[in-house]
Coordinates of all heavy atoms in Angstrom, one line a residue:
K1421 N -12.7 -2.9 18.6 CA -12.5 -4.0 17.7 C -12.1 -3.6 16.3 O -12.8 -2.8 15.7 CB -13.8 -4.8 17.6 CG -14.2 -5.5 18.9 CD -15.4 -6.4 18.7 CE -15.8 -7.2 19.9 NZ -16.9 -8.1 19.7
I1422 N -11.0 -4.1 15.8 CA -10.5 -3.8 14.5 C -10.6 -5.1 13.7 O -9.8 -6.0 14.0 CB -9.1 -3.2 14.5 CG1 -9.1 -1.9 15.2 CG2 -8.6 -3.0 13.1 CD1 -7.7 -1.3 15.4
G1423 N -11.4 -5.2 12.7 CA -11.5 -6.4 11.9 C -10.5 -6.3 10.7 O -10.5 -5.3 10.0
V1424 N -9.7 -7.3 10.5 CA -8.7 -7.2 9.5 C -9.0 -8.3 8.4 O -9.1 -9.5 8.8 CB -7.3 -7.5 10.1 CG1 -6.2 -7.4 9.0 CG2 -7.0 -6.4 11.2
I1425 N -9.1 -7.9 7.2 CA -9.3 -8.9 6.1 C -8.0 -8.8 5.2 O -7.9 -7.9 4.4 CB -10.6 -8.6 5.3 CG1 -10.7 -7.1 4.9 CG2 -11.8 -9.0 6.1 CD1 -11.8 -6.9 3.9
L1426 N -7.2 -9.8 5.3 CA -6.0 -9.9 4.5 C -5.7 -11.3 4.1 O -6.2 -12.3 4.7 CB -4.8 -9.4 5.3 CG -4.7 -7.8 5.5 CD1 -3.7 -7.5 6.6 CD2 -4.4 -7.1 4.2
P1427 N -4.8 -11.5 3.1 CA -4.4 -12.9 2.8 C -3.4 -13.4 3.7 O -2.3 -12.7 3.9 CB -3.9 -12.8 1.3 CG -3.4 -11.4 1.2 CD -4.3 -10.5 2.1
Y1428 N -3.6 -14.5 4.4 CA -2.6 -15.1 5.3 C -2.2 -16.5 4.8 O -1.5 -17.2 5.4 CB -3.2 -15.2 6.7 CG -3.4 -13.8 7.4 CD1 -4.7 -13.4 7.5 CD2 -2.4 -13.0 7.8 CE1 -5.0 -12.1 8.1 CE2 -2.6 -11.8 8.3 CZ -3.9 -11.3 8.5 OH -4.1 -10.1 9.1
S1429 N -2.7 -16.8 3.6 CA -2.3 -18.0 2.9 C -2.2 -17.7 1.4 O -2.7 -16.6 1.0 CB -3.3 -19.1 3.1 OG -4.6 -18.7 2.7
G1430 N -1.5 -18.5 0.7 CA -1.4 -18.3 -0.8 C -0.2 -17.4 -1.1 O 0.6 -17.0 -0.2
V1431 N -0.2 -16.9 -2.4 CA 1.0 -16.2 -2.8 C 1.2 -14.8 -2.2 O 2.3 -14.3 -2.2 CB 0.9 -16.0 -4.4 CG1 1.0 -17.4 -5.1 CG2 -0.3 -15.3 -4.8
Y1432 N 0.1 -14.3 -1.7 CA 0.2 -12.9 -1.1 C 0.2 -13.0 0.5 O 0.0 -12.0 1.1 CB -1.0 -12.1 -1.5 CG -0.9 -11.7 -3.0 CD1 -2.1 -11.9 -3.8 CD2 0.2 -11.3 -3.6 CE1 -2.1 -11.6 -5.1 CE2 0.3 -11.0 -5.0 CZ -0.9 -11.1 -5.7 OH -0.9 -10.8 -7.1
A1433 N 0.5 -14.1 1.0 CA 0.5 -14.3 2.5 C 1.5 -13.3 3.2 O 1.2 -12.8 4.2 CB 0.8 -15.7 2.9
Q1434 N 2.7 -13.2 2.6 CA 3.7 -12.3 3.2 C 3.2 -10.8 3.2 O 3.5 -10.1 4.2 CB 5.0 -12.4 2.4 CG 6.2 -11.6 3.1 CD 6.5 -12.2 4.5 OE1 6.7 -13.4 4.7 NE2 6.5 -11.3 5.5
L1435 N 2.5 -10.4 2.2 CA 1.9 -9.0 2.3 C 1.0 -8.9 3.4 O 1.0 -7.9 4.1 CB 1.2 -8.7 1.0 CG 2.0 -8.4 -0.3 CD1 2.9 -9.5 -0.7 CD2 1.0 -8.0 -1.4
G1436 N 0.1 -9.9 3.6 CA -0.8 -9.8 4.8 C 0.0 -9.8 6.1 O -0.4 -9.0 7.0
E1437 N 1.0 -10.6 6.2 CA 1.8 -10.6 7.5 C 2.5 -9.2 7.7 O 2.5 -8.7 8.8 CB 2.8 -11.7 7.4 CG 2.3 -13.1 7.5 CD 1.6 -13.4 8.8 OE1 1.9 -12.8 9.8 OE2 0.6 -14.2 8.8
D1438 N 3.1 -8.7 6.7 CA 3.8 -7.4 6.9 C 2.8 -6.3 7.3 O 3.1 -5.4 8.1 CB 4.5 -7.0 5.6 CG 5.8 -7.7 5.4 OD1 6.2 -8.4 6.4 OD2 6.4 -7.6 4.4
I1439 N 1.6 -6.2 6.6 CA 0.6 -5.2 7.0 C 0.2 -5.4 8.4 O 0.1 -4.4 9.2 CB -0.6 -5.3 6.0 CG1 -0.1 -4.8 4.6 CG2 -1.7 -4.4 6.5 CD1 -1.2 -5.1 3.5
T1440 N -0.1 -6.6 8.8 CA -0.6 -6.9 10.2 C 0.5 -6.6 11.2 O 0.2 -6.0 12.2 CB -1.0 -8.4 10.3 OG1 -2.0 -8.7 9.3 CG2 -1.6 -8.6 11.6
N1441 N 1.7 -7.0 10.9 CA 2.8 -6.7 11.9 C 3.0 -5.2 12.2 O 3.2 -4.8 13.3 CB 4.1 -7.3 11.3 CG 4.2 -8.8 11.4 OD1 3.4 -9.4 12.1 ND2 5.1 -9.4 10.6
S1442 N 2.9 -4.4 11.1 CA 3.0 -3.0 11.4 C 1.8 -2.4 12.2 O 2.0 -1.5 13.0 CB 3.1 -2.2 10.0 OG 4.4 -2.3 9.5
M1443 N 0.6 -2.9 11.9 CA -0.5 -2.5 12.7 C -0.3 -2.8 14.2 O -0.5 -2.0 15.1 CB -1.8 -3.1 12.2 CG -2.2 -2.7 10.9 SD -3.7 -3.5 10.3 CE -4.8 -3.1 11.6
E1444 N 0.2 -4.0 14.4 CA 0.5 -4.4 15.8 C 1.6 -3.6 16.4 O 1.6 -3.3 17.6 CB 0.9 -5.9 15.8 CG -0.3 -6.8 15.4 CD 0.2 -8.3 15.3 OE1 1.4 -8.5 15.2 OE2 -0.7 -9.1 15.3
L1445 N 2.6 -3.2 15.6 CA 3.7 -2.4 16.1 C 3.1 -1.0 16.6 O 3.5 -0.5 17.7 CB 4.7 -2.1 15.0 CG 6.0 -1.5 15.4 CD1 6.8 -2.4 16.3 CD2 6.9 -1.3 14.1
Y1446 N 2.2 -0.4 15.8 CA 1.6 0.9 16.3 C 0.8 0.7 17.6 O 1.0 1.5 18.5 CB 0.7 1.4 15.2 CG -0.2 2.5 15.6 CD1 0.3 3.8 15.7 CD2 -1.5 2.3 16.1 CE1 -0.5 4.9 16.2 CE2 -2.3 3.3 16.6 CZ -1.8 4.6 16.6 OH -2.6 5.7 17.1
L1447 N 0.0 -0.4 17.6 CA -0.8 -0.6 18.8 C 0.0 -0.9 20.0 O -0.3 -0.6 21.2 CB -1.8 -1.7 18.5 CG -2.8 -1.4 17.4 CD1 -3.6 -2.6 17.0 CD2 -3.8 -0.3 17.9
D1448 N 1.1 -1.6 19.8 CA 2.1 -1.9 20.9 C 2.6 -0.6 21.5 O 2.8 -0.5 22.7 CB 3.2 -2.7 20.4 CG 4.2 -3.1 21.5 OD1 3.7 -3.6 22.6 OD2 5.4 -2.9 21.4
E1449 N 2.9 0.4 20.6 CA 3.3 1.7 21.1 C 2.3 2.4 22.0 O 2.6 3.2 22.8 CB 3.7 2.6 19.9 CG 5.0 2.1 19.2 CD 5.5 3.2 18.3 OE1 4.8 4.2 18.1 OE2 6.6 3.0 17.7
Q1450 N 1.1 2.1 21.8 CA 0.0 2.7 22.5 C -0.3 1.9 23.8 O -1.2 2.2 24.6 CB -1.3 2.7 21.7 CG -1.1 3.2 20.3 CD -0.5 4.5 20.2 OE1 -0.8 5.5 20.9 NE2 0.6 4.6 19.3
G1451 N 0.5 0.9 24.1 CA 0.3 0.1 25.3 C -0.9 -0.8 25.2 O -1.5 -1.3 26.1
G1452 N -1.4 -1.1 23.9 CA -2.5 -2.0 23.7 C -3.8 -1.4 23.9 O -4.9 -2.1 23.8
E1453 N -4.0 -0.1 24.1 CA -5.3 0.5 24.2 C -5.3 1.9 23.6 O -4.2 2.6 23.5 CB -5.7 0.6 25.7 CG -4.8 1.5 26.5 CD -5.3 1.6 28.0 OE1 -5.8 0.6 28.5 OE2 -5.2 2.7 28.5
I1454 N -6.4 2.3 23.1 CA -6.6 3.6 22.5 C -7.7 4.3 23.3 O -8.8 3.8 23.4 CB -7.0 3.5 21.0 CG1 -6.0 2.7 20.2 CG2 -7.2 4.9 20.4 CD1 -4.7 3.3 20.0
A1455 N -7.4 5.5 23.8 CA -8.4 6.3 24.5 C -9.1 5.5 25.6 O -10.3 5.6 25.8 CB -9.4 6.9 23.6
G1456 N -8.3 4.7 26.3 CA -8.9 3.9 27.4 C -9.6 2.6 27.0 O -10.1 1.9 27.9
R1457 N -9.6 2.3 25.7 CA -10.3 1.1 25.2 C -9.2 0.1 24.8 O -8.4 0.3 23.9 CB -11.2 1.4 24.1 CG -12.3 2.4 24.4 CD -13.2 2.7 23.2 NE -13.9 1.4 22.8 CZ -14.7 1.4 21.7 NH1 -15.0 2.5 21.1 NH2 -15.3 0.3 21.4
P1458 N -9.2 -1.1 25.4 CA -8.3 -2.1 25.0 C -8.6 -2.5 23.6 O -9.8 -2.5 23.2 CB -8.6 -3.3 26.0 CG -9.9 -3.0 26.5 CD -10.1 -1.5 26.5
V1459 N -7.6 -2.8 22.8 CA -7.8 -3.1 21.3 C -7.8 -4.6 21.0 O -6.9 -5.3 21.5 CB -6.7 -2.4 20.5 CG1 -7.0 -2.6 19.0 CG2 -6.7 -0.9 20.8
E1460 N -8.8 -5.0 20.3 CA -8.8 -6.4 19.7 C -8.6 -6.3 18.2 O -9.3 -5.6 17.5 CB -10.1 -7.1 20.0 CG -10.4 -7.3 21.5 CD -11.7 -8.1 21.7 OE1 -12.3 -8.4 20.7 OE2 -12.1 -8.2 22.9
I1461 N -7.6 -7.1 17.7 CA -7.5 -7.3 16.3 C -8.1 -8.6 16.0 O -7.7 -9.6 16.5 CB -6.1 -7.2 15.8 CG1 -5.5 -5.8 15.9 CG2 -5.9 -7.7 14.4 CD1 -4.1 -5.6 15.4
I1462 N -9.1 -8.6 15.1 CA -9.7 -9.9 14.7 C -9.4 -10.1 13.2 O -9.8 -9.4 12.3 CB -11.2 -9.8 14.9 CG1 -11.6 -9.3 16.3 CG2 -11.8 -11.2 14.7 CD1 -13.0 -9.1 16.5
Q1463 N -8.6 -11.2 12.9 CA -8.1 -11.4 11.6 C -9.0 -12.5 10.9 O -9.5 -13.4 11.4 CB -6.7 -12.0 11.6 CG -5.7 -11.0 12.3 CD -4.4 -11.7 12.6 OE1 -4.0 -11.7 13.7 NE2 -3.8 -12.2 11.5
E1464 N -9.2 -12.2 9.6 CA -9.8 -13.2 8.7 C -9.0 -13.3 7.4 O -8.5 -12.3 6.8 CB -11.3 -12.7 8.3 CG -12.3 -12.8 9.4 CD -12.8 -14.2 9.6 OE1 -12.6 -15.1 8.7 OE2 -13.4 -14.5 10.7
D1465 N -8.8 -14.5 7.0 CA -8.0 -14.8 5.8 C -8.8 -14.7 4.6 O -9.8 -15.5 4.4 CB -7.4 -16.2 5.9 CG -6.5 -16.6 4.8 OD1 -6.2 -15.7 4.0 OD2 -6.0 -17.7 4.7
T1466 N -8.4 -13.8 3.7 CA -9.2 -13.6 2.4 C -8.7 -14.4 1.3 O -9.3 -14.6 0.3 CB -9.1 -12.1 2.0 OG1 -7.8 -11.8 1.6 CG2 -9.6 -11.2 3.0
E1467 N -7.4 -14.9 1.5 CA -6.8 -15.7 0.4 C -6.7 -14.9 -0.9 O -6.4 -15.5 -1.9 CB -7.6 -17.0 0.2 CG -7.8 -17.8 1.4 CD -8.9 -18.9 1.2 OE1 -9.2 -19.2 0.0 OE2 -9.4 -19.5 2.2
A1468 N -6.9 -13.6 -0.8 CA -6.9 -12.7 -2.0 C -8.0 -13.2 -3.0 O -7.9 -12.9 -4.2 CB -5.5 -12.7 -2.7
D1469 N -9.0 -13.8 -2.5 CA -10.1 -14.3 -3.3 C -11.3 -13.4 -3.0 O -11.7 -13.3 -1.8 CB -10.4 -15.8 -2.9 CG -11.6 -16.3 -3.7 OD1 -11.5 -16.6 -4.9 OD2 -12.7 -16.4 -3.0
P1470 N -12.0 -12.9 -4.0 CA -13.1 -12.0 -3.8 C -14.2 -12.6 -2.9 O -14.8 -12.0 -2.0 CB -13.6 -11.6 -5.2 CG -12.4 -11.8 -6.0 CD -11.6 -12.9 -5.4
Q1471 N -14.6 -13.8 -3.2 CA -15.7 -14.5 -2.5 C -15.3 -14.7 -1.0 O -16.1 -14.4 -0.1 CB -16.1 -15.8 -3.1 CG -16.8 -15.6 -4.5 CD -17.3 -17.0 -5.0 OE1 -16.7 -18.0 -4.7 NE2 -18.3 -16.9 -5.8
A1472 N -14.0 -15.1 -0.8 CA -13.6 -15.3 0.6 C -13.5 -14.0 1.3 O -13.8 -13.9 2.5 CB -12.2 -16.0 0.6
G1473 N -13.1 -13.0 0.6 CA -12.9 -11.6 1.2 C -14.3 -11.1 1.6 O -14.4 -10.5 2.7
V1474 N -15.3 -11.2 0.8 CA -16.6 -10.7 1.1 C -17.2 -11.5 2.3 O -17.8 -10.9 3.2 CB -17.6 -10.8 -0.1 CG1 -19.0 -10.5 0.3 CG2 -17.2 -9.8 -1.2
Q1475 N -17.0 -12.8 2.3 CA -17.5 -13.6 3.5 C -16.7 -13.2 4.7 O -17.4 -13.1 5.8 CB -17.3 -15.1 3.2 CG -17.8 -16.0 4.3 CD -19.3 -15.7 4.6 OE1 -20.1 -15.6 3.7 NE2 -19.6 -15.6 5.9
A1476 N -15.4 -12.9 4.6 CA -14.7 -12.5 5.8 C -15.2 -11.2 6.3 O -15.4 -11.0 7.6 CB -13.2 -12.4 5.4
A1477 N -15.4 -10.3 5.5 CA -16.0 -9.0 5.9 C -17.3 -9.1 6.5 O -17.6 -8.5 7.5 CB -16.0 -8.0 4.7
R1478 N -18.2 -9.9 5.9 CA -19.5 -10.1 6.5 C -19.4 -10.7 7.9 O -20.2 -10.2 8.8 CB -20.3 -11.1 5.6 CG -21.8 -11.1 5.8 CD -22.5 -12.1 4.9 NE -22.2 -11.9 3.5 CZ -22.9 -11.0 2.8 NH1 -23.8 -10.3 3.3 NH2 -22.6 -10.9 1.5
T1479 N -18.6 -11.6 8.1 CA -18.4 -12.2 9.4 C -18.0 -11.2 10.5 O -18.5 -11.1 11.6 CB -17.3 -13.3 9.4 OG1 -17.8 -14.4 8.5 CG2 -17.1 -13.9 10.8
L1480 N -17.0 -10.3 10.1 CA -16.5 -9.3 11.0 C -17.5 -8.2 11.3 O -17.7 -7.8 12.4 CB -15.2 -8.7 10.4 CG -14.0 -9.6 10.3 CD1 -12.9 -9.0 9.5 CD2 -13.5 -10.0 11.8
L1481 N -18.3 -7.9 10.3 CA -19.3 -6.8 10.5 C -20.5 -7.3 11.2 O -21.0 -6.6 12.1 CB -19.6 -6.2 9.1 CG -18.6 -5.4 8.4 CD1 -18.9 -5.2 6.9 CD2 -18.3 -4.1 9.1
E1482 N -21.0 -8.4 10.8 CA -22.3 -8.9 11.3 C -22.2 -9.7 12.6 O -23.1 -9.6 13.5 CB -23.0 -9.7 10.2 CG -23.3 -8.9 9.0 CD -23.9 -9.7 7.9 OE1 -24.0 -10.9 8.0 OE2 -24.3 -9.1 6.9
R1483 N -21.1 -10.5 12.7 CA -21.0 -11.3 13.9 C -20.1 -10.7 15.0 O -20.4 -10.8 16.2 CB -20.5 -12.7 13.5 CG -20.6 -13.7 14.7 CD -20.2 -15.1 14.2 NE -18.8 -15.2 14.0 CZ -18.2 -16.3 13.4 NH1 -18.9 -17.3 12.9 NH2 -16.9 -16.3 13.2
E1484 N -19.0 -10.1 14.6 CA -18.1 -9.6 15.5 C -18.4 -8.1 15.9 O -17.8 -7.6 16.8 CB -16.6 -9.7 15.0 CG -16.2 -11.1 14.7 CD -16.1 -12.0 16.0 OE1 -16.2 -11.4 17.1 OE2 -15.9 -13.2 15.9
D1485 N -19.2 -7.5 15.1 CA -19.6 -6.1 15.3 C -18.4 -5.2 15.5 O -18.2 -4.5 16.5 CB -20.5 -6.0 16.6 CG -21.2 -4.7 16.7 OD1 -21.4 -4.0 15.7 OD2 -21.5 -4.3 17.9
V1486 N -17.5 -5.2 14.5 CA -16.2 -4.5 14.7 C -16.5 -3.0 14.5 O -17.4 -2.5 13.9 CB -15.2 -4.9 13.6 CG1 -14.8 -6.4 13.8 CG2 -15.7 -4.8 12.2
D1487 N -15.5 -2.2 15.1 CA -15.6 -0.7 15.0 C -15.0 -0.2 13.7 O -15.4 0.8 13.2 CB -14.9 -0.1 16.2 CG -15.6 -0.4 17.5 OD1 -16.7 0.1 17.7 OD2 -15.0 -1.2 18.2
F1488 N -14.0 -1.0 13.2 CA -13.3 -0.6 11.9 C -13.1 -1.9 11.1 O -13.0 -3.0 11.7 CB -11.9 0.0 12.2 CG -11.9 1.4 12.8 CD1 -11.7 1.5 14.1 CD2 -12.0 2.5 12.0 CE1 -11.7 2.8 14.7 CE2 -12.0 3.8 12.5 CZ -11.8 3.9 13.9
L1489 N -13.1 -1.8 9.8 CA -12.7 -2.8 8.9 C -11.5 -2.3 8.2 O -11.5 -1.2 7.7 CB -13.8 -3.2 8.0 CG -13.7 -4.5 7.1 CD1 -13.7 -5.7 8.1 CD2 -14.9 -4.5 6.2
T1490 N -10.4 -3.2 8.0 CA -9.3 -2.7 7.3 C -8.6 -3.9 6.6 O -8.9 -5.1 6.9 CB -8.2 -2.1 8.2 OG1 -7.1 -1.5 7.5 CG2 -7.7 -3.1 9.2
G1491 N -7.8 -3.6 5.6 CA -7.1 -4.6 4.8 C -7.4 -4.6 3.3 O -7.5 -3.5 2.8
A1492 N -7.5 -5.8 2.7 CA -7.8 -5.9 1.3 C -6.5 -5.7 0.4 O -6.2 -4.5 0.1 CB -8.9 -5.1 0.8
V1493 N -5.8 -6.7 0.2 CA -4.6 -6.7 -0.7 C -5.2 -6.6 -2.2 O -4.7 -5.8 -3.0 CB -3.7 -7.9 -0.5 CG1 -2.8 -8.1 -1.8 CG2 -2.9 -7.7 0.7
S1494 N -6.1 -7.4 -2.5 CA -6.7 -7.5 -3.8 C -7.7 -6.4 -4.1 O -8.6 -6.2 -3.2 CB -7.3 -8.9 -4.1 OG -8.2 -8.8 -5.2
T1495 N -7.7 -5.7 -5.2 CA -8.7 -4.7 -5.6 C -10.1 -5.4 -5.7 O -11.1 -4.8 -5.3 CB -8.3 -4.1 -6.9 OG1 -7.1 -3.2 -6.7 CG2 -9.4 -3.2 -7.4
S1496 N -10.1 -6.6 -6.2 CA -11.4 -7.3 -6.3 C -12.1 -7.5 -4.9 O -13.3 -7.3 -4.8 CB -11.2 -8.6 -7.0 OG -10.7 -8.4 -8.3
V1497 N -11.3 -7.8 -3.9 CA -11.8 -8.0 -2.6 C -12.3 -6.6 -2.1 O -13.4 -6.5 -1.5 CB -10.7 -8.5 -1.6 CG1 -11.2 -8.4 -0.2 CG2 -10.3 -9.9 -2.0
A1498 N -11.5 -5.6 -2.3 CA -11.9 -4.2 -1.8 C -13.3 -3.8 -2.4 O -14.2 -3.3 -1.7 CB -10.8 -3.2 -2.1
Y1499 N -13.4 -4.0 -3.8 CA -14.6 -3.6 -4.4 C -15.8 -4.4 -3.9 O -16.9 -3.9 -3.7 CB -14.5 -3.9 -5.9 CG -13.7 -2.9 -6.7 CD1 -13.1 -3.2 -7.9 CD2 -13.4 -1.6 -6.1 CE1 -12.3 -2.3 -8.6 CE2 -12.6 -0.7 -6.8 CZ -12.1 -1.0 -8.0 OH -11.3 -0.1 -8.7
G1500 N -15.6 -5.7 -3.5 CA -16.7 -6.5 -3.0 C -17.1 -6.1 -1.6 O -18.2 -6.4 -1.2
V1501 N -16.2 -5.4 -0.8 CA -16.5 -5.1 0.6 C -17.1 -3.7 0.8 O -17.8 -3.5 1.8 CB -15.2 -5.3 1.4 CG1 -15.3 -4.8 2.8 CG2 -14.8 -6.8 1.4

Side-chain angles (χ1 to χ4, degrees):
K1421 292 186 176 182
I1422 298 176
V1424 182
I1425 51 169
L1426 285 169
Y1428 295 106
S1429 59
V1431 295
Y1432 294 133
Q1434 187 60 52
L1435 280 61
E1437 290 295 332
D1438 280 354
I1439 292 170
T1440 305
N1441 287 342
S1442 280
M1443 292 178 59
E1444 293 174 344
L1445 193 62
Y1446 168 83
L1447 295 170
D1448 183 51
E1449 290 191 357
Q1450 316 305 312
E1453 64 177 36
I1454 304 289
R1457 297 181 63 181
V1459 181
E1460 292 181 5
I1461 289 183
I1462 311 173
Q1463 299 168 240
E1464 288 280 347
D1465 185 6
T1466 66
E1467 307 167 13
D1469 175 78
Q1471 289 187 335
V1474 169
Q1475 182 55 47
R1478 194 183 304 278
T1479 297
L1480 292 168
L1481 291 168
E1482 297 177 354
R1483 190 172 73 189
E1484 300 293 350
D1485 195 26
V1486 296
D1487 298 288
F1488 291 96
L1489 192 64
T1490 186
V1493 161
S1494 163
T1495 290
S1496 298
V1497 171
Y1499 285 158
V1501 169

